[in-house]
Amino acid sequence: MDSVFSNVARAPEDPILGVTVAYNNDPSPVKINLGVGAYRTEEGKPLVLDVVRKAEQLLVNDPSRVKEYIPIVGIADFNKLSAKLILGADSPAIKENRVATIQCLSGTGSLRVGAEFLKKHYHQGVIYIPKPTWGNHPKVFNLAGLSVEYFRYYDPATRGLDFKGLLEDLGAAPSGAIVLLHACAHNPTGVDPTSEQWEQIRQLMRSKSLLPFFDSAYQGFASGSLDTDAQSVRTFVADGGECLIAQSYAKNMGLYGERVGALSIVCKSADVASKVESQVKLVVRPMYSSPPIHGASIVATILKSSDMYNNWTIELKEMADRIKSMRQQLFEAIQARGTPGDWSHIIKQIGMFTFTGLNKEQVEFMTKEFHIYMTSDGRISMAGLSSKTVPHLADAMHAAVTRLG
C-alpha cells in the first residue's frame, strides 16, 4: 500500500555528521576522526569537566529542586550571569538594564530565536554572513525568512583574512543590513581579525547602521581567556550601539548534549529592552514553550560560585592549551617532513579548527589511503588530534601534497 509520504525524497547526509558515520563504519585501527566539532582528550575520549560533575552532584543532592516548568525566558540567574560573562561585569549596558537575555537551546537555538525576532520586528530583511562560515548559518537564517548574502572573509592565497574584501563588501551592503560576526575562533577557518581590524569593522558598521549579530560559540575556548575572547563583542557594546549575541556553552563547559545557550539583545534603553524581551517570548512560546532546566542550572551553579568559576577557568585553559599544543606539534611534524608550502597558518589560526588549505581530492586521498576523516573543505578539528596521531596525519598530509600537488 502506498504511503501518503511516498513522494518524500531521501535528504542528503549532513556533510559534517556524515564524516562521523563514514568513520564509524571503517574497521581500520589507525583511523582518525577530525570532522567532529567536539573536544577530545589526549586519549581521544569526550571530556566531562570536573567542575561540571561537581555542579551536577550539588543539583542532584538538593531535595528542594523540582521539575516544574520554568519561565519562557528561562532561569533568571542563568540569564543574568550569561550576559555578565560575555559583556563583562562592569558593562554599562547591564547596569542600565539595556540587555534582554533569553535562555535558548545552545548556539543554534539562540541564532534561530534571534533570526525569527528580527524577521518579525526589524526593518531590514537581509543578513550578511562570512564566506565561508559554519554550514548551519545560512540554513538557520533562510528558514527564519531572512535573505542571506555573503561578505568576503577568507583569503585562500594567504590562508588568512581577506580584510580588504570584507571592508568592501560590508561597505557595499544596504544601510541597516544585519551582519553575522563570529565573536572569536571563526568556524571553519580559525582566522580572526586583529583588535585594530575589529575597530575598523566597528566604525564601518556603525557608520552604515549595520546591525551586528554575534555568534559566540567559543568564549574562553579559543585563547584560554574568557575576557580576551569577548573583546570583539565588548568593543561594539562599549559604543552604546545595539547588537545581538548568541552564546553557547557546548564547547567552553563541554555541555554539548545539554543544549545550553543564551540570546542577548543589547538595546538603546531599558524601556526598549523590556519591549524586545516581551516580543522574544512570543517567538519562543509557539516554538518550544520554555527551555530545559538541567544544563542551565549547571551553568548558573558554576558561574554563581567564585570557587567553581575559578576551577572552570583552569579547566577551560587546559582545553585551550591542549589544542594550541596540537597546532604546534602538527606544524613541527609537517616541517620535519619537508612538506612543500608554507604551513605557518596552522599555528596562526585559533580555536578548535584549522583550515588546512587541502583541496577535495587531497582530502579524499587521505581518507582512502590513510583512513583520516575530515570535511571536504580541508577543515580539521584540532581537538580530534593527539600526540600519538599527529605523525600519521603529518604523513598523510605530506603524501597528499607531494603526490597530488
Side-chain angles (χ1 to χ4, degrees), residues 23-101:
Y23 167 82
N24 290 337
N25 291 335
D26 185 343
S28 169
V30 296
K31 65 180 179 177
I32 312 174
N33 185 4
L34 301 176
V36 67
Y39 183 80
R40 293 290 179 264
T41 63
E42 177 68 26
E43 293 70 46
K45 298 278 187 287
L47 177 70
V48 179
L49 301 186
D50 290 339
V51 73
V52 165
R53 292 218 187 271
K54 190 176 167 195
E56 283 192 306
Q57 281 311 123
L58 289 173
L59 295 169
V60 167
N61 294 335
D62 178 357
S64 69
R65 283 183 59 77
V66 292
K67 301 292 186 187
E68 295 288 294
Y69 292 124
I70 54 173
I72 297 171
V73 294
I75 296 170
D77 271 351
F78 168 84
N79 290 337
K80 201 169 94 203
L81 293 160
S82 293
K84 187 173 144 187
L85 187 72
I86 189 70
L87 300 179
D90 54 356
S91 171
I94 293 176
K95 287 183 178 148
E96 294 156 18
N97 292 318
R98 293 191 284 111
V99 188
T101 303

Side-chain angles (χ1 to χ4, degrees), residues 153-155 158-164 166 191-194 197:
Y153 189 87
Y154 177 75
D155 180 358
T158 61
R159 293 175 189 172
L161 186 67
D162 179 0
F163 191 53
K164 185 170 171 287
L166 180 152
V191 173
D192 285 354
T194 63
Q197 288 171 331

Side-chain angles (χ1 to χ4, degrees), residues 8 37-38 54 57 133 139 146 165 239 244 264 290 328-329 359 374 394 405:
V8 176
K54 190 176 167 195
Q57 281 311 123
T133 190
K139 297 171 191 168
L146 296 173
D239 68 12
L244 291 85
S264 284
S290 64
Q328 193 62 42
Q329 287 180 41
N359 61 39
M374 55 202 274

